[in-house]
Amino acid sequence: MEEVVVVEGTTMVGWVVSGVAFWWTAFLLARGAFPKRSYDFCNRVVSAAHAAAAVSLACLSVPDWSRPLSPLAAASSPPQMKALAVTLSYMVYDAACCYLNDDVRVDNTVHHLVSIVGIAAGLAYRRCGTEMVASLFVTEISSPLLHLREILKEFGIKDTDLNLLVDILFAVIFSVARIGFGPYLTYVTVTADNPILIKAMATGLQLVSAYWFLRILRMVRHKLGKKRPAPKVAGD
């Protein structure tokens, strides 16, 4: 029988605290490296780095790629808990960063709250690692493109083919991950023998994803509409 490695609570707290310090340090370094760029630009550089790290750690924590969603409602492995702790620390940093920049929106606040409470609960229960790491992968896989599209705007790249390509790739990956696989992941999380708080947070995250999906559809329709050639006027 495979030995179960238990991660102590103090170790998890240490991961989260050191993670928050790391993300803040990365942000300050970005501010120093790009003094002429905005607060949001530097935050998005950090956010893109986190997204890449989160997806990588999520992939590395999967023990068997032939059954990536197995076992369900099981004890979390140390790699899974480390991946979740890294993202929890980032969410705490990002929530504080948005607050300090007076960028407090309802949808973003709900997203931060659901993510922080859900991940913290998973770490506290030391369960649901499979479901939560899969959720981490699904929610972060489109994030690098999300931040890239905003970074391009700061460089003055707007209404170009490159900007449109990034927007479309972001919309496609977001839709496939969060609306294609997301509902199934929410279903298996809710129907498995998981704590009620985990089930509630999984449902809440899917609702936030659905709301953002509708906003993305409007964005894509607007972008494609701007690319259509203007109708010719009779007599021209």
Side-chain angles (χ1 to χ4, degrees):
M1 182 179 295
E2 185 179 354
E3 182 181 358
V4 177
V5 179
V6 178
V7 179
E8 297 295 332
T10 53
T11 301
M12 288 187 290
V13 172
W15 286 346
V16 174
V17 171
S18 60
V20 173
F22 173 82
W23 297 120
W24 272 113
T25 301
F27 174 75
L28 294 175
L29 290 174
R31 292 287 279 174
F34 306 104
K36 296 183 179 180
R37 296 298 170 185
S38 68
Y39 185 102
D40 182 68
F41 176 93
C42 296
N43 184 36
R44 288 190 181 279
V45 170
V46 176
S47 298
H50 162 260
V55 170
S56 299
L57 289 172
C59 291
L60 291 173
S61 70
V62 177
D64 183 1
W65 276 100
S66 65
R67 298 183 302 164
L69 287 180
S70 178
L72 295 173
S76 301
S77 68
Q80 289 171 339
M81 298 184 78
K82 183 171 290 186
L84 293 172
V86 168
T87 290
L88 176 58
S89 68
Y90 165 77
M91 285 296 172
V92 172
Y93 149 79
D94 193 50
C97 204
C98 291
Y99 176 79
L100 293 175
N101 195 35
D102 292 327
D103 183 21
V104 180
R105 305 188 307 273
V106 173
D107 58 339
N108 224 21
T109 300
V110 172
H111 174 247
H112 284 131
L113 181 62
V114 168
S115 299
I116 290 172
V117 173
I119 296 174
L123 290 174
Y125 288 125
R126 294 181 173 83
R127 291 177 55 190
C128 333
T130 300
E131 300 93 311
M132 297 191 72
V133 164
S135 177
L136 178 60
F137 178 87
V138 165
T139 55
E140 292 297 336
I141 189 65
S142 62
S143 292
L145 288 170
L146 167 66
H147 301 302
L148 176 60
R149 61 190 295 272
E150 298 299 329
I151 288 173
L152 288 175
K153 291 179 183 178
E154 181 131 353
F155 282 118
I157 303 176
K158 297 181 181 179
D159 300 325
T160 65
D161 290 339
L162 175 60
N163 187 260
L164 180 62
L165 175 63
V166 172
D167 284 343
I168 291 176
L169 286 176
F170 163 67
V172 169
I173 295 174
F174 183 100
S175 302
V176 171
R178 295 212 188 195
I179 305 303
F181 292 104
Y184 173 72
L185 181 56
T186 301
Y187 171 77
V188 298
T189 302
V190 170
T191 55
D193 185 24
N194 286 315
I196 188 65
L197 183 57
I198 299 297
K199 297 181 180 183
M201 293 303 103
T203 304
L205 186 59
Q206 186 58 44
L207 291 175
V208 171
S209 296
Y211 169 74
W212 281 345
F213 174 68
L214 294 177
R215 292 185 59 182
I216 289 170
L217 285 181
R218 288 197 293 268
M219 178 270 293
V220 171
R221 185 173 62 180
H222 173 71
K223 290 276 187 175
L224 294 178
K226 291 173 66 176
K227 282 291 181 179
R228 293 174 185 168
K232 293 184 178 180
V233 179
D236 285 355

